[in-house]
Amino acid sequence: MAEDFNKDGMANTLIVAIGICLVCSIVVAGSAVGLRPLQMANKELDRKQNILRAAGMLGADATVAEDGRGVEDLFAEFEVRAVSLDTGVYMDDVDTALYDPIKAAKQDDASRELGPQEDRATLGRRENVSLVYLRRRDGALDKVVIPVRGYGLWGTLFGYLALEGDLNTVAGIGFYEHKETPGLGGEVDNTGWKAGWSGTRVFTADGTPSINLVKTRSPETSSAAAHEVDALSGATLTSRGIENLINFWTGELGFGPYLQRLKFESAQAQINPRRER
Ligand SMILES: Cc1cc2nc3c(=O)[nH]c(=O)nc-3n(C[C@H](O)[C@H](O)[C@H](O)COP(=O)(O)O)c2cc1C
């Protein structure tokens, strides 16, 4: 029998090749499944870092604060709430740890279609419920971070806008995903450019969202100056996209109703501290 065995024969070659393929596919599939929780954890950590950076609680490239506190510790200062974008009311039946507004925007029953006049951020659809991140200090509202997104030149930019407790002054901004060209629209990641946002006012006196990205600044004494941010040089289309997406998400179809309600509630809480929240 042993003499009949030909290790270089067709059958043997096939058995070895199939065996190797099987082992490799098990290793690849096993790694993909096994690493999934780690990937999810990294994605979640990245999301938290971006929110903290927008709020100015974590340096641009830092993973710990100056006082040595880590991301989880810092993020625990936020209260995460789900909000109906139509009414501005909290949706406490939504599990904020699992809810994904961007996924919801793709589902017909969890989002609404935006008409051409409405869709200034080129989203197509907008989720009915989104998430907000609130930080209070000594009982008073200190920061509110909202997720923002919209089309630039090459694709959708995804980021966070942080407002101070007055719900009008920008505390910071950051985009964690975009397709803009490095050196042109990609300068949205430039730390100096992002720093230029802080102190800018989002709303005019009558509550209209009014961020303008400009090539030439208005005189500092003019009312327009408070709403201006430097446009990105050589990237007019990205700049226009960012202007549109910020004005969309702070407007009536975005977090406008929520921010108005929160402003009213904060004012009420200052008059009567026991009525807070
Ligand atoms: C390869 C290439 C990449 C570009 N990337 C961007 C970009 O990311 N964002 C942008 O607004 N414009 C980009 N542009 C430039 C636009 O086509 C357009 O010229 C520019 O927005 C005009 O801006 P300006 O008026 O500030 O010069 C790119 C152009 C080329 C050729």
Side-chain angles (χ1 to χ4, degrees):
M1 283 294 279
E3 282 162 24
D4 294 341
F5 179 74
N6 176 7
K7 77 177 169 58
D8 295 327
M10 178 65 88
N12 208 30
T13 306
L14 273 175
I15 289 166
V16 171
I18 291 167
I20 290 172
C21 285
L22 265 176
V23 170
C24 289
S25 53
I26 290 167
V27 169
V28 170
S31 315
V33 173
L35 290 174
R36 182 121 184 95
L38 193 65
Q39 281 175 338
M40 299 293 283
N42 278 340
K43 207 174 159 193
E44 185 60 9
L45 182 72
D46 189 52
R47 189 178 66 86
K48 290 176 179 172
Q49 281 177 342
N50 282 297
I51 293 167
L52 290 166
R53 286 185 184 130
M57 291 160 68
L58 194 64
D61 299 312
T63 50
V64 289
E66 280 171 10
D67 62 4
R69 294 168 68 204
V71 170
E72 294 298 340
D73 196 6
L74 293 166
F75 192 78
E77 290 186 22
F78 283 112
E79 188 188 322
V80 188
R81 304 290 293 265
V83 170
S84 157
L85 294 178
D86 289 329
T87 62
V89 169
Y90 288 125
M91 306 293 285
D92 287 332
D93 54 335
V94 173
D95 183 346
T96 57
L98 299 176
Y99 183 71
D100 182 347
I102 295 163
K103 261 190 199 161
K106 292 176 186 148
Q107 296 159 3
D108 286 359
D109 58 349
S111 63
R112 58 162 285 183
E113 196 174 344
L114 296 167
Q117 299 299 314
E118 298 174 322
D119 198 7
R120 60 195 300 189
T122 322
L123 301 169
R125 303 190 70 82
R126 187 225 66 190
E127 60 276 23
N128 296 333
V129 175
S130 191
L131 299 176
V132 290
Y133 305 85
L134 304 145
R135 185 197 197 207
R136 293 176 204 273
R137 290 202 120 178
D138 305 321
L141 199 58
D142 174 52
K143 299 270 187 305
V144 178
V145 184
I146 58 170
V148 294
R149 65 181 191 280
Y151 217 77
L153 174 61
W154 302 115
T156 303
L157 294 105
F158 296 85
Y160 291 101
L161 174 75
L163 297 177
E164 300 288 359
D166 66 358
L167 303 173
N168 188 11
T169 308
V170 175
I173 193 169
F175 292 96
Y176 58 89
E177 194 184 316
H178 65 79
K179 296 186 173 69
E180 305 309 284
T181 313
L184 294 170
E187 288 297 291
V188 290
D189 296 329
N190 184 305
T191 314
W193 180 76
K194 285 192 285 187
W197 279 78
S198 55
T200 309
R201 302 284 150 78
V202 174
F203 300 106
T204 54
D206 69 359
T208 308
S210 181
I211 284 289
N212 295 315
L213 268 66
V214 295
K215 286 187 178 173
T216 311
R217 293 285 194 122
S218 303
E220 268 188 41
T221 47
S222 73
S223 58
H227 305 284
E228 290 176 354
V229 175
D230 288 337
L232 296 160
S233 58
T236 298
L237 300 171
T238 306
S239 303
R240 197 64 57 235
I242 291 168
E243 183 178 291
N244 284 333
L245 74 90
I246 295 298
N247 290 328
F248 174 85
W249 284 107
T250 51
E252 273 307 300
L253 289 159
F255 290 90
Y258 169 70
L259 293 172
Q260 276 165 28
R261 199 183 61 80
L262 194 58
K263 203 171 196 169
F264 177 74
E265 279 184 8
S266 296
Q268 292 287 100
Q270 271 175 1
I271 296 165
N272 180 358
R274 270 185 290 179
R275 286 192 58 189
E276 194 192 341
R277 296 171 66 190

